């Protein structure tokens, strides 16, 4: 029996969910839809998320991207980019789809969290993500006044989780053991103070020069710069808690005096620790 004879559409929304930060226009399940011919690509006006639940498929776009799809893959289709996708010949096909847009998603695109260069998230475990997406719009009656905001919050959370899961899965092999330990040692104050990068290197089994180069290549910043940033972020938390004076914070961070601490803080954040303290206290 050809796939078209078993076509099924299961809408999850009767009307769009609109909020100040964005809207979900459509959502649902499709089974055995007809694929889009790559020779006749289409263009959408909104973002679309497609979760592959069953089957094998293809994705092509005008940027030259060519991808094979398997269950657990998530396609992120961008407005104004011509594309085509669908099932491989003879393959069953089940997808979950969400059509969405709004200021929050445009911001994510501007910041690179949503990027046309990365239209595919490889997540695996399709049923897990199917349930998560279903909960976005089926957890409560959507006619309630607060329902659109709650649904949008859940959708943003699931989408963030998808992007993070893909990032975790795509990290280079062997990164975790030494780099994660390095990040922890550099970014956390021990009882004896902050370990220098030169002290961290032998603890992860590397010479300092090799450590510095590999760390910089993988994180985009030198270990000393990463540690300085983490120390100043720690200072922000201490200022917010309001339990320490600026001199005590400077001493804890290893600065010789408040002047040098304030200078480094302003270089990092654009304002002095005193200005920051006034801001967080509402002055």
């Amino acid at each position: 029996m050809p796939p078209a004879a078993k076509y099924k559409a299961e809408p999850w929304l009767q009307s769009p969910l609109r909020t100040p930060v964005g809207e979900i226009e459509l959502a649902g399940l499709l089974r055995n839809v007809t694929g889009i011919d790559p020779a006749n690509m289409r263009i959408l006006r909104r973002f679309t998320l497609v979760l592959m639940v069953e089957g094998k498929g293809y994705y092509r776009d005008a940027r030259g991207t060519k991808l094979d799809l398997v269950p657990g893959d998530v396609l992120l289709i961008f407005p104004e980019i011509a594309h085509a996708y669908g099932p491989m010949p003879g393959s069953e096909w089940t997808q979950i789809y969400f059509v969405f847009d709004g200021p929050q998603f445009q911001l994510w695109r501007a910041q690179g969290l949503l990027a046309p260069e990365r239209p595919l998230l490889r997540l695996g475990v399709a049923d897990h993500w199917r349930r998560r997406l279903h909960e976005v719009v089926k957890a409560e009656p959507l006619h309630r006044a607060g329902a659109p905001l709650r649904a949008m919050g859940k959708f943003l959370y699931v989408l963030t989780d998808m992007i993070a899961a893909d990032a975790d899965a795509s990290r280079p092999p062997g990164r975790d053991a030494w780099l994660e330990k390095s990040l922890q040692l550099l970014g956390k104050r021990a009882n004896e103070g902050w370990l220098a990068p030169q002290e961290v290197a032998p603890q992860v089994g590397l010479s300092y020069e090799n450590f510095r180069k590999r760390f910089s290549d993988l994180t985009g910043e030198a270990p000393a710069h990463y540690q300085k940033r983490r120390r100043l972020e720690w200072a922000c938390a201490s200022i917010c808690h309001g339990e320490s004076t600026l001199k005590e914070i400077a001493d804890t961070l290893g600065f010789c005096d408040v002047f040098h601490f304030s200078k480094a803080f302003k270089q990092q954040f654009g304002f002095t620790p005193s200005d920051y303290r006034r801001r967080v206290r509402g002055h």
Side-chain angles (χ1 to χ4, degrees):
M1 183 180 294
K6 297 183 288 182
Y7 170 79
K8 177 183 178 181
E10 179 186 310
W12 288 356
L13 287 178
Q14 300 304 315
S15 59
L17 297 177
R18 306 188 192 281
T19 77
V21 299
E23 66 180 57
I24 302 172
E25 183 175 8
L26 298 167
L29 178 146
L30 292 175
R31 180 168 290 130
N32 291 326
V33 296
T34 303
I36 303 165
D37 185 354
N40 189 25
M41 295 182 180
R42 72 175 181 181
I43 298 176
L44 300 178
R45 61 187 180 89
R46 294 178 178 268
F47 294 95
T48 298
L49 179 152
V50 176
L51 167 66
M52 282 283 295
V53 178
E54 293 177 318
K56 296 182 179 180
Y58 61 86
Y59 171 80
R60 309 286 186 268
D61 67 31
R63 301 170 62 91
T65 306
K66 296 182 179 181
L67 300 168
D68 293 331
L69 307 177
V70 297
D73 284 351
V74 168
L75 278 176
L76 296 172
I77 297 169
F78 290 78
E80 303 174 2
I81 295 180
H83 65 278
Y85 68 90
M88 294 293 191
S91 175
E92 296 287 326
W93 173 276
T94 303
Q95 71 177 60
I96 304 297
Y97 65 92
F98 273 67
V99 179
F100 57 96
D101 207 346
Q104 186 65 50
F105 304 107
Q106 295 295 342
L107 174 63
W108 284 19
R109 181 173 183 174
Q111 295 298 319
L113 278 176
L114 299 174
E117 299 80 12
R118 301 189 302 276
L120 178 64
L121 305 177
R122 288 241 134 105
L123 305 182
V125 198
D127 192 55
H128 167 77
W129 297 105
R130 173 180 178 169
R131 290 196 305 270
R132 296 277 303 276
L133 288 171
H134 193 257
E135 289 170 0
V136 169
V137 294
K138 294 296 183 180
E140 64 174 309
L142 295 177
H143 62 271
R144 295 177 179 173
L149 277 173
R150 280 189 284 270
M152 181 58 67
K154 292 172 185 174
F155 181 62
L156 289 168
Y157 179 70
V158 173
L159 184 55
T160 301
D161 226 4
M162 288 177 165
I163 295 170
D166 178 73
D168 286 340
S170 61
R171 285 185 298 185
R175 162 188 159 136
D176 288 353
W178 74 271
L179 184 55
E180 295 301 329
K181 184 176 180 180
S182 300
L183 293 170
Q184 182 180 16
L185 291 172
L186 288 169
K188 184 177 180 180
R189 184 180 183 275
N191 292 332
E192 63 276 13
W194 299 82
L195 291 176
Q198 292 85 347
E199 297 174 293
V200 171
Q203 293 198 33
V204 296
L206 296 172
S207 69
Y208 174 66
E209 284 304 317
N210 192 19
F211 168 69
R212 183 180 61 80
K213 183 178 186 307
R214 292 180 64 184
F215 188 99
S216 300
D217 288 344
L218 288 172
T219 67
E221 60 183 336
H225 186 275
Y226 168 80
Q227 184 179 65
K228 180 180 178 181
R229 177 170 59 81
R230 293 292 293 142
R231 289 164 67 198
L232 292 171
E233 288 169 352
W234 184 90
C236 286
S238 295
I239 291 171
C240 287
H241 295 325
E243 298 172 352
S244 304
T245 66
L246 296 184
K247 183 180 186 309
E248 289 171 337
I249 295 172
D251 290 343
T252 300
L253 294 177
F255 287 94
C256 58
D257 54 37
V258 173
F259 171 79
H260 287 90
F261 164 54
S262 297
K263 182 178 179 181
F265 193 99
K266 187 172 183 179
Q267 287 176 339
Q268 181 69 34
F269 300 115
F271 39 78
T272 67
S274 298
D275 291 336
Y276 182 66
R277 172 162 281 170
R278 284 191 288 270
R279 291 186 183 198
V280 298
R281 293 184 177 179
H283 300 312

